[in-house]
Amino acid sequence: MLEWPKIINKTLSVKLSLMVVFELTLLLFVALGVMFFFARKMLKNEAMRNAEQTLEATVQHIDNILLSIEQSTGNVYWDILGKLKDQERMYDYCETIVESNPYIVGCAIALEPSFNDDHQPFMAYVHREGYRDDNDMMVKAEAFGSQLYTEQEWYQEPLREGHACWADPLKEVPNAEAVTCFSLPLFDQTWKPVGVLSVDLSIALLSSIVLDAKPSENGYCTLLGEKGSFIVHPDPVKLAQETVFTQCENGAAPSVREAAEAMVNGERGYKPFVMDGRDWYVFYRPFKRSAVPGRAMEELKWSVGVVYPEDDIFGGYNLLLTIVLGIAIFGMLLALVLCTYITHRQLEPLHLLTESAKRITNGNYDEDIPDSRRKDEIGQLQFHVKEMQKALAARMSDLQKSTDALQERNEVLKQAYIQTQEADRVKTAFLHHMTNQMTSPADTIVKSVTELCNHYHDYTSQEATDEVDIIQSESQVITQLLDNLIEAAEGSTRKEDGV
């Protein structure tokens, strides 16, 4: 790994290729980023439109089922009001209503105990069994669940409200399938509420019908009641037992609660959430029923949602992004390789010039630099370097000749210097010898002159003459030595002039 920075710093082709590829990569990824940003935005908007359409279709589908149940019930409602005292007839009405609509799995007519002559509770209940396997049969019963009907919500609410209403799913009735009920109050001739007509819609059946039209490969529709109960959901366990908030209590992600609260509060929009380690989107809106003449339009406070895993919305986008990024990275690597190869080929003369320059630096001034056929800057550089090498070789040749001549001259001067030093040594030795030769006569002359000056009045004429003769004799010796020294000096001067 440590070799790569060195290779990059030393190799111009790699450095240029990296610069070019880096700029191309930057521009490419900026362009791809902008493109995919707007593509994702468009996909989300498209998903919103599809979700709105799916929501509308789901609402319409569910509402059509509810409306058909309301109409089937309403068709016999007025006839029932006139026959409330005929308790046996109530079972026939219940059976007629169940048979009239395939979505109705049960029907109950329950009367106030005070309305009956014996003041006893009365309930006629007919429900389907085996309707899932096309072998359904009608079963009559006098109760729904183990609790007295007068204490059950499906009975109390219409009497309390005084009009038809849909109840949240009943999921806590033992040994009974979870159902949602459409209930109408029954009135006597004085228009006093005396009972309830209620029909059951199996939420499992409703879910299977709605979920047949899947919004996407892995998506599904859901319908929540006022308190978060599942009315439509692909998981039968949740239909039978759970509310959406039960999931939150069992450790679901906080985003699930946020989405559920938004739906239960009647909001409209979409929210992301995490479930089972996957990212999901839920698009939701309040459940609004179509206005039909004669239809009770009380607010149900239900919310319908379409749930998509993120892969269903952005799966193609993410796959395309991965493919494009893979192609882009492969393309950048291929561009780097090709750019490096082409740049290396284009810069190969520079490499040759570099190697030639190294050899010239090492003293090989006759380095042969080939001619270039290129007319670009590199070709011109190679041409001028070749010319420079020729001029440098010629200059170095002249300099070598001058150096050789100077060396020869220096050798002559060295020999002359040696001879001069030898002559100086001889001259010094000669002068020393001559000086030594003149010392003794000079001492004798000094002595004789001193004696003569100090004692001349004591000397006889002959003794004075002898002293003078001695001084004269020694002076002649000194004179002769000086003549020899002068002759030697003139001979040396003539010899040096000859050189």
Side-chain angles (χ1 to χ4, degrees):
M1 294 297 293
L2 297 177
E3 296 296 325
W4 278 106
K6 296 181 180 179
I7 295 174
I8 294 173
N9 290 331
K10 290 183 178 180
T11 310
L12 181 59
S13 60
V14 175
K15 189 180 294 185
L16 290 175
S17 300
L18 285 174
M19 292 173 61
V20 172
V21 172
F22 174 77
E23 292 180 1
L24 289 175
T25 302
L26 183 62
L27 291 174
L28 176 62
F29 278 94
V30 169
L32 288 177
V34 173
M35 181 183 72
F36 279 103
F37 171 79
F38 285 103
R40 186 180 180 89
K41 188 175 181 180
M42 291 177 63
L43 279 175
K44 184 174 287 189
N45 292 336
E46 182 67 21
M48 286 287 291
R49 288 192 293 270
N50 291 339
E52 285 292 332
Q53 294 175 358
T54 304
L55 283 172
E56 185 62 35
T58 302
V59 169
Q60 189 63 44
H61 191 182
I62 296 174
D63 190 47
N64 288 339
I65 294 175
L66 300 185
L67 181 60
S68 69
I69 292 174
E70 294 172 8
Q71 290 177 338
S72 297
T73 306
N75 289 337
V76 295
Y77 175 75
W78 298 104
D79 193 28
I80 293 175
L81 290 181
K83 308 291 191 304
L84 291 178
K85 290 293 184 178
D86 189 353
Q87 295 183 354
E88 290 300 323
R89 190 79 176 270
M90 297 300 106
Y91 286 99
D92 295 335
Y93 283 125
C94 289
E95 187 172 349
T96 300
I97 292 174
V98 172
E99 291 178 344
S100 67
N101 194 308
Y103 302 122
I104 298 175
V105 296
C107 178
I109 298 177
L111 301 175
E112 285 284 287
S114 60
F115 177 76
N116 300 318
D117 294 337
D118 55 5
H119 295 279
Q120 294 296 317
F122 170 78
M123 175 180 174
Y125 181 53
V126 176
H127 63 94
R128 297 175 186 267
E129 281 193 0
Y131 66 91
R132 293 181 180 274
D133 55 10
D134 296 330
N135 293 318
D136 60 320
M137 61 179 180
M138 299 298 173
V139 178
K140 297 180 180 181
E142 296 180 351
F144 177 74
S146 59
Q147 190 178 19
L148 187 63
Y149 68 85
T150 56
E151 299 175 1
Q152 296 181 17
E153 184 66 21
W154 62 269
Y155 182 84
Q156 293 177 348
E157 184 176 359
L159 291 180
R160 183 172 58 249
E161 298 295 333
H163 57 71
C165 58
W166 282 92
D168 275 355
L170 305 177
K171 299 183 178 182
E172 299 179 355
V173 179
N175 302 320
E177 184 180 11
V179 295
T180 182
C181 302
F182 175 66
S183 302
L184 299 93
L186 297 173
F187 301 95
D188 62 11
Q189 295 179 351
T190 64
W191 211 245
K192 176 184 175 181
V194 294
V196 171
L197 167 63
S198 179
V199 294
D200 299 335
L201 169 63
S202 168
I203 59 175
L205 176 61
L206 179 62
S207 291
S208 65
I209 295 171
V210 173
L211 294 175
D212 283 342
K214 298 185 65 172
S216 69
E217 182 179 357
N218 300 298
Y220 60 88
C221 297
T222 184
L223 182 65
L224 296 183
E226 180 180 2
K227 298 179 181 179
S229 295
F230 287 107
I231 302 175
V232 172
H233 197 278
D235 188 350
V237 175
K238 294 180 180 179
L239 288 177
Q241 299 178 1
E242 296 185 7
T243 68
V244 68
F245 299 109
T246 307
Q247 291 183 340
C248 303
E249 296 171 358
N250 292 336
S255 54
V256 175
R257 175 176 288 275
E258 294 177 6
E261 289 178 347
M263 293 183 67
V264 172
N265 291 334
E267 298 178 11
R268 180 176 188 145
Y270 75 94
K271 280 187 180 295
F273 67 96
V274 178
M275 183 174 63
D276 299 330
R278 297 178 65 186
D279 293 327
W280 299 74
Y281 281 87
V282 56
F283 299 84
Y284 50 87
R285 55 169 285 188
F287 181 82
K288 299 293 183 181
R289 297 187 295 166
S290 301
V292 176
R295 186 182 194 184
M297 295 301 295
E298 77 281 0
E299 186 176 358
L300 296 182
K301 297 182 180 180
W302 293 354
S303 179
V304 63
V306 179
V307 182
Y308 296 94
E310 187 180 41
D311 291 342
D312 281 14
I313 300 176
F314 299 112
Y317 167 87
N318 293 332
L319 177 61
L320 178 62
L321 178 61
T322 302
I323 294 174
V324 171
L325 286 178
I327 294 174
I329 293 173
F330 175 77
M332 291 300 101
L333 293 177
L334 181 61
L336 177 61
V337 173
L338 292 177
C339 189
T340 302
Y341 173 76
I342 295 172
T343 307
H344 179 76
R345 289 294 302 272
Q346 293 298 315
L347 297 179
E348 189 173 3
L350 290 181
H351 177 70
L352 297 176
L353 291 177
T354 301
E355 296 299 324
S356 298
K358 289 181 180 179
R359 289 191 285 271
I360 292 173
T361 303
N362 293 330
N364 188 11
Y365 302 110
D366 294 330
E367 174 71 22
D368 183 23
I369 298 178
D371 294 328
S372 176
R373 297 180 181 180
R374 299 172 59 165
K375 303 301 181 182
D376 55 10
E377 291 82 353
I378 295 179
Q380 295 177 15
L381 176 62
Q382 188 172 351
F383 171 76
H384 289 299
V385 170
K386 183 178 179 66
E387 294 298 315
M388 182 183 68
Q389 183 270 333
K390 291 180 179 179
L392 181 61
R395 184 68 176 172
M396 293 304 297
S397 178
D398 294 341
L399 184 60
Q400 186 64 39
K401 292 179 180 179
S402 299
T403 301
D404 293 342
L406 286 174
Q407 288 179 347
E408 293 177 1
R409 182 74 173 172
N410 286 338
E411 189 65 30
V412 173
L413 291 175
K414 182 178 180 181
Q415 294 298 325
Y417 177 70
I418 293 173
Q419 293 176 1
T420 301
Q421 284 183 328
E422 183 64 24
D424 286 342
R425 186 185 65 76
V426 172
K427 185 186 294 184
T428 301
F430 175 73
L431 290 175
H432 182 69
H433 176 72
M434 294 300 292
T435 302
N436 290 337
Q437 291 295 322
M438 289 187 289
T439 300
S440 179
D443 289 341
T444 301
I445 292 172
V446 170
K447 182 177 180 183
S448 296
V449 172
T450 301
E451 289 293 329
L452 185 60
C453 290
N454 293 333
H455 303 285
Y456 70 89
H457 53 277
D458 293 332
Y459 280 180
T460 62
S461 174
Q462 183 58 44
E463 290 176 340
T465 301
D466 290 340
E467 291 293 337
V468 171
D469 289 339
I470 291 172
I471 292 171
Q472 185 177 5
S473 175
E474 295 297 330
S475 298
Q476 289 177 353
V477 172
I478 292 174
T479 301
Q480 184 62 43
L481 290 171
L482 291 174
D483 289 340
N484 292 337
L485 181 61
I486 291 171
E487 288 179 1
E490 289 177 351
S492 176
T493 302
R494 288 194 297 272
K495 186 175 180 181
E496 289 177 358
D497 290 342
V499 174

